[in-house]
């Protein structure tokens, strides 16, 4: 999103990358460097204080508790999740096993990776593994068919899995084998309707029976969930909820598809708005559908780890927040500093507003007054 910055920077230039405010300063002067060195020191002090929270529950001042879980890319990130107090893994992306040039991981390699995460997290912490989410911007080098004109709306996620059941079944078998090492949960991405969900559940049942026939032990009560990241799934989330054990809202794609904005296109990046009223209505609808069916509703998209969104999601009734391990403690600080009633009042206020600009301005001011989110 920085446009022509490569034309403005020469090799060896000093730069300041300010991720908190979304800006880059090229060749800063001495006073700017001093300011940012001071800000960095304050931030590091803030981080050390946050680490004191890692053993404490994510509980509001009036006793409402939620779960904070980690998003992981590779098994090596388990240590960071534990250090930051994660209560399990809400999203383990399995794609790294399929995107390496020259090979697709076989069943044994997959089993070892899944088992490593389960053992690392321990027997009491659930680990949610998302089935292969390739296609779109993630292409398996060895396979043909990904050169589509519109890959974001194309052959990806469960659509790919259902057409390549050989790869899909191998992954499910590796997951089932690993399930004896902890609390493994299976999550299917980009479910668009009940038919698709029934199809993937049927494949899972076939693999379970194969394991029984081969006398391979697995967790017979393994929990299965659906990501809700397509508008059609959000609109029928009440129907999907009856067939799964949990929901996880994938806001990255849900926002993209709801507003019809390519999140990788810098020309229209300004339209990619988590606080768009349509997006917020969808999120509340999904949470309410899950709760009516008595299943927990989590979120594993970037919005779950954005401190600016924490109170809103809390007030909407989100049960599980899953995010990068580094974001966990800041979100926990906010949750422990507020009451559920205050969060619900904020939701009531913003749901009366009709534009994302109004909502964004209101929420930023409200959050900064209470939590000083933008001081570093």
């Amino acid at each position: 999103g920085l446009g022509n910055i490569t034309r403005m920077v020469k090799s060896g230039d000093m730069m300041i990358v300010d991720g908190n405010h979304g800006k880059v300063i090229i060749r800063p002067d001495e006073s700017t460097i001093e300011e940012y060195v001071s800000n960095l020191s304050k931030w590091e002090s803030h981080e050390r204080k946050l680490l004191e929270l890692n053993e404490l529950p994510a509980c509001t001042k009036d006793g409402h508790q939620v779960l904070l879980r980690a998003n992981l890319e590779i098994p090596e990130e388990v240590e960071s999740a534990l250090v930051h107090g994660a209560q399990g893994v809400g999203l383990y992306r399995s794609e790294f096993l399929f995107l390496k040039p020259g090979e697709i991981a076989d069943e044994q390699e997959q089993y070892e990776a899944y088992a490593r995460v389960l053992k690392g997290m321990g027997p009491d912490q659930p680990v949610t593994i998302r089935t292969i989410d390739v296609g779109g911007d993630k292409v398996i080098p060895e396979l043909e068919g990904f050169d589509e004109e519109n890959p974001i709306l194309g052959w990806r996620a469960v659509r790919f899995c259902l057409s390549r059941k050989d790869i899909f079944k191998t992954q499910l078998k590796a997951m089932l084998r690993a399930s004896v090492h902890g609390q493994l949960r299976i999550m299917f991405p980009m479910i668009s309707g009940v038919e698709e969900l029934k199809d993937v559940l049927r494949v899972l049942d076939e693999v379970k029976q194969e394991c029984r026939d081969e006398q391979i032990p697995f967790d017979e009560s393994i929990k299965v969930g659906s990501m809700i990241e397509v508008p059609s799934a959000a609109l029928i989330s009440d129907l999907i909820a009856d067939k799964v054990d949990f929901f996880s809202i994938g806001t990255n794609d849900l926002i993209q598809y709801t507003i019809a904005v390519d999140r990788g296109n810098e020309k229209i990046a300004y339209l990619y708005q988590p606080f768009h009223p349509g997006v917020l209505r969808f999120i509340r609808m999904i949470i309410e559908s899950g709760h009516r069916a008595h299943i927990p509703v989590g979120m594993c998209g970037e919005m779950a780890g954005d401190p600016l969104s924490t109170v809103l999601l809390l007030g909407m009734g989100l049960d599980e927040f899953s995010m990068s391990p580094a974001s966990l403690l800041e979100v926990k600080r906010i949750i422990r500093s507020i009451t559920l009633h205050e969060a619900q009042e904020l939701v009531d206020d913003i749901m009366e507003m009709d534009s994302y600009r109004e909502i964004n301005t209101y929420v930023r001011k409200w959050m900064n007054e209470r939590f000083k989110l933008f001081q570093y």
Side-chain angles (χ1 to χ4, degrees):
L2 294 175
N4 64 348
I5 189 171
T6 52
R7 299 176 193 166
M8 303 163 63
V9 179
K10 298 189 295 293
S11 180
D13 278 350
M14 175 178 279
M15 298 169 63
I16 295 172
V17 180
D18 181 354
N20 284 341
H21 297 90
K23 64 182 179 181
V24 173
I25 301 170
I26 304 169
R27 296 180 290 277
D29 57 30
E30 286 300 320
S31 64
T32 303
I33 293 172
E34 289 177 8
E35 176 189 350
Y36 272 88
V37 167
S38 174
N39 287 347
L40 178 59
S41 177
K42 292 175 185 175
W43 177 257
E44 289 172 342
S45 175
H46 177 65
E47 288 279 280
R48 286 192 293 272
K49 289 179 181 176
L50 287 177
L51 283 171
E52 297 173 3
L53 301 175
N54 66 349
E55 297 292 335
L56 299 175
C59 186
T60 63
K61 292 165 71 175
D62 52 352
H64 178 73
Q65 191 162 335
V66 295
L67 295 169
L68 300 187
R69 294 182 167 151
N71 290 349
L72 303 186
E73 299 271 357
I74 53 176
E76 288 75 12
E77 292 177 322
V78 166
E79 183 179 352
S80 178
L82 294 172
V83 166
H84 290 90
Q87 298 166 286
V89 175
L91 169 63
Y92 176 45
R93 300 178 174 98
S94 61
E95 289 77 55
F96 84 100
L97 292 161
F98 301 88
L99 301 179
K100 294 183 292 184
E103 62 177 304
I104 295 175
D106 61 18
E107 181 187 318
Q108 184 62 23
E109 186 179 351
Q110 291 185 57
Y111 159 75
E112 290 172 359
Y114 305 147
R116 184 176 169 190
V117 175
L118 285 158
K119 291 175 183 177
M121 291 304 299
D124 299 325
Q125 303 288 16
V127 173
T128 307
I129 303 179
R130 182 177 68 187
T131 57
I132 320 169
D133 189 8
V134 294
D137 57 352
K138 299 185 288 287
V139 177
I140 298 178
E142 279 61 54
L143 294 182
E144 297 180 355
F146 287 109
D147 53 341
E148 302 171 291
E149 288 188 11
N150 196 347
I152 297 299
L153 298 179
W155 192 46
R156 54 176 301 203
V158 294
R159 301 171 182 180
F160 167 81
C161 289
L162 289 171
S163 63
R164 287 300 308 264
K165 290 182 183 175
D166 54 331
I167 295 175
F168 190 32
K169 282 190 166 186
T170 298
Q171 181 180 39
L172 291 175
K173 192 170 183 180
M175 288 183 180
L176 290 177
R177 286 177 57 197
S179 67
V180 298
H181 298 295
Q183 291 188 41
L184 190 151
R185 306 194 307 176
I186 297 175
M187 181 165 71
F188 299 113
M190 207 178 171
I191 294 294
S192 62
V194 170
E195 297 85 358
E196 214 164 32
L197 179 60
K198 286 181 176 178
D199 287 343
V200 295
L201 291 175
R202 191 175 299 114
V203 176
L204 177 59
D205 285 339
E206 291 172 5
V207 178
K208 284 182 178 180
Q209 189 56 50
E210 289 174 11
C211 287
R212 294 186 192 105
D213 293 343
E214 297 172 33
Q215 296 187 324
I216 296 172
F218 67 93
D219 179 4
E220 288 278 2
S221 60
I222 193 166
K223 293 189 182 302
V224 176
S226 172
M227 288 191 71
I228 305 294
E229 51 189 339
V230 178
S232 62
L235 287 166
I236 60 164
S237 51
D238 57 327
L239 304 179
I240 295 174
D242 291 333
K243 296 170 178 59
V244 293
D245 300 304
F246 64 91
F247 277 163
S248 187
I249 304 172
T251 50
N252 299 0
D253 273 335
L254 183 63
I255 295 167
Q256 173 173 244
Y257 292 134
T258 299
I259 310 177
V261 53
D262 178 358
R263 57 191 168 108
N265 186 335
E266 64 185 55
K267 293 175 183 167
I268 52 174
Y270 69 96
L271 288 173
Y272 187 83
Q273 293 293 336
F275 291 163
H276 188 291
V279 173
L280 296 178
R281 289 186 181 194
F282 263 153
I283 291 172
R284 187 166 68 171
M285 178 191 300
I286 296 162
I287 293 171
E288 290 174 349
S289 293
H291 289 173
R292 280 195 298 271
H294 308 292
I295 64 171
V297 181
M299 179 180 289
C300 60
E302 290 299 314
M303 194 174 174
D306 179 6
L308 199 61
S309 304
T310 300
V311 177
L312 269 184
L313 297 174
L314 184 69
M316 287 184 179
L318 191 70
D319 302 300
E320 303 173 8
F321 296 66
S322 191
M323 65 200 74
S324 163
S327 301
L328 284 164
L329 294 176
E330 183 67 46
V331 169
K332 184 183 287 188
R333 175 180 79 95
I334 293 169
I335 291 170
R336 289 180 58 85
S337 304
I338 199 165
T339 66
L340 178 61
H341 180 67
E342 288 176 294
Q344 291 168 337
E345 284 188 332
L346 177 63
V347 171
D348 290 341
D349 289 342
I350 66 97
M351 294 306 278
E352 296 295 322
M353 300 176 186
D354 60 8
S355 82
Y356 69 78
R357 288 194 182 95
E358 184 182 8
I359 294 171
N360 191 57
T361 300
Y362 186 86
V363 172
R364 291 181 80 88
K365 182 175 183 293
W366 195 96
M367 292 294 291
N368 197 39
E369 285 175 354
R370 288 159 176 78
F371 303 108
K372 303 294 186 284
L373 291 180
F374 313 110
Q375 63 179 324
Y376 302 109

